[in-house]
């Protein structure tokens, strides 16, 4: 009951609005003297929380964990699809974006619509980019500067440059996005992270390893010998190098 009363309270709404106000300040000007977002509050706005979690992992090159976060279940809404889309962008799998985007239902907010416009534009190949992406970018141009800049920040630099060539009017928003880094974390989205194919067992061990468990604890949980666990660990490290 405490949680239910909290999420429905004016106090909670005020906190969420304050978080978005901070983002607006950060993405509203290239010169805004705003500290890095993660230093000012621990949790991202609720309905896009997965996007921020994935962004942090992608920024440090942890693609397997970002994939795990993006694919995990959480409250209904556009957040899951957006998180999955940003993982695809970071791993050079733009060709999969149309399928993911087709499943996303917008919540009707300008912020979400701006992000979806950017993702849809990024999903087009070079042959379709001019004709199909131009209306989306025109819509983005009509958005408030902080919202447009935040949406553009989820693109890798190459994708950002391609869209800017098509709609030069987004230059200011693009400059802010490049400077603020992915969702305001201060670093750009990696150009491309390698897609690592791990077996189901290796993924299980990787998840346990990320929880801080020892080799012995992992072998006990997985019902395998310590030597087998170490062999899996060696394979995982080799694949993730």
């Amino acid at each position: 009951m405490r949680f239910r009363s909290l999420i429905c309270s004016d106090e909670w709404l005020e906190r969420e609005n304050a978080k978005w106000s901070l983002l607006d300040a950060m993405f509203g000007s290239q010169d805004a003297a705003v500290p890095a977002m993660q230093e000012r509050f621990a949790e991202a706005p609720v309905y896009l929380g997965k996007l921020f979690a994935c962004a942090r992992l992608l920024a440090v090159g942890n693609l397997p964990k970002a994939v795990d976060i993006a694919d995990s279940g959480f409250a209904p809404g556009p957040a899951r699809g957006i998180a999955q889309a940003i993982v695809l962008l970071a791993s050079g799998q733009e060709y999969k974006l149309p399928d993911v985007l087709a499943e996303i239902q917008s919540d009707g907010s300008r912020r979400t619509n701006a992000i979806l416009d950017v993702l849809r534009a990024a999903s087009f190949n070079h042959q379709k980019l001019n004709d199909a992406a131009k209306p989306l970018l025109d819509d983005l141009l009509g958005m408030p500067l902080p919202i447009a800049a935040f949406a553009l920040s989820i693109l890798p630099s190459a994708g950002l440059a391609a869209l800017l060539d098509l709609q030069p009017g987004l230059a200011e928003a693009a400059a802010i996005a490049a400077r603020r880094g992915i969702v305001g974390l201060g670093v750009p989205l990696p150009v491309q992270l390698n897609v690592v194919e791990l077996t189901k067992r290796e993924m299980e061990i990787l998840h346990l390893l990320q929880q801080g468990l020892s080799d012995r604890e992992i072998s006990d949980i997985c019902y395998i010998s310590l030597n087998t666990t170490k062999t899996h660990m060696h394979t995982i490290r080799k694949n993730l190098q």
Side-chain angles (χ1 to χ4, degrees):
M1 290 302 294
R2 168 61 181 163
F3 176 72
R4 182 178 295 277
S5 62
L6 177 62
I7 64 173
C8 296
S9 68
D10 292 339
E11 175 189 354
W12 178 83
L13 290 175
E14 288 176 3
R15 286 206 306 268
E16 293 308 302
N17 288 334
K19 293 171 185 178
W20 278 120
S21 295
L22 175 60
L23 280 175
D24 286 345
M26 181 181 294
F27 284 93
S29 169
Q30 295 186 55
D31 301 318
V34 181
M37 181 190 67
Q38 70 273 30
E39 295 177 2
R40 292 290 298 274
F41 53 85
E43 296 181 359
V46 169
Y47 84 98
L48 285 180
K50 290 292 179 180
L51 172 61
F52 285 85
C54 286
R56 293 189 183 98
L57 292 164
L58 294 171
V60 297
N62 193 342
L63 179 61
K65 185 61 176 177
V67 171
D68 183 46
I69 292 292
D71 289 342
S72 62
F74 48 93
R80 180 175 188 171
I82 291 173
Q84 291 172 331
I86 196 175
V87 169
L88 294 177
L89 282 173
S91 55
Q93 301 181 84
E94 292 91 343
Y95 64 93
K96 292 183 179 180
L97 279 176
D99 291 337
V100 172
L101 294 173
E103 298 296 323
I104 299 177
Q105 295 293 324
S106 174
D107 57 10
S109 71
R110 289 187 300 177
R111 301 178 192 281
T112 300
N113 288 340
I115 292 172
L116 293 178
D117 282 347
V118 167
L119 290 173
R120 289 182 181 117
S123 71
F124 296 127
N125 58 36
H126 293 294
Q127 287 75 22
K128 295 182 179 179
L129 186 59
N130 287 336
D131 294 335
K134 188 65 163 61
L136 297 172
L137 299 182
D138 289 343
D139 286 344
L140 191 65
L141 189 59
M143 297 277 187
L145 179 62
I147 292 178
F150 179 80
L152 289 171
S153 76
I154 67 177
L155 292 178
S157 56
L160 189 60
L163 297 191
L164 187 57
D165 286 342
L166 190 57
Q167 177 46 274
L170 291 171
E172 183 179 5
I176 295 171
R179 180 170 177 176
R180 297 299 175 205
I182 181 172
V183 301
L185 294 181
V187 294
L189 184 67
V191 175
Q192 182 175 338
L193 295 170
N194 292 326
V195 180
V196 180
E197 294 293 339
L198 298 178
T199 66
K200 183 177 180 180
R201 173 65 83 183
E202 288 168 349
M203 286 299 299
E204 180 183 6
I205 291 174
L206 178 60
H207 292 163
L208 294 172
L209 180 65
Q210 290 169 333
Q211 295 172 26
L213 275 64
S214 68
D215 291 4
R216 172 61 68 184
E217 290 171 326
I218 292 174
S219 65
D220 290 342
I221 291 173
C222 296
Y223 298 102
I224 56 178
S225 70
L226 183 59
N227 284 339
T228 301
T229 299
K230 290 182 177 180
T231 299
H232 282 306
M233 301 273 275
H234 174 76
T235 303
I236 292 169
R237 292 191 179 100
K238 181 179 179 181
N239 286 334
L240 296 181
Q241 284 179 350

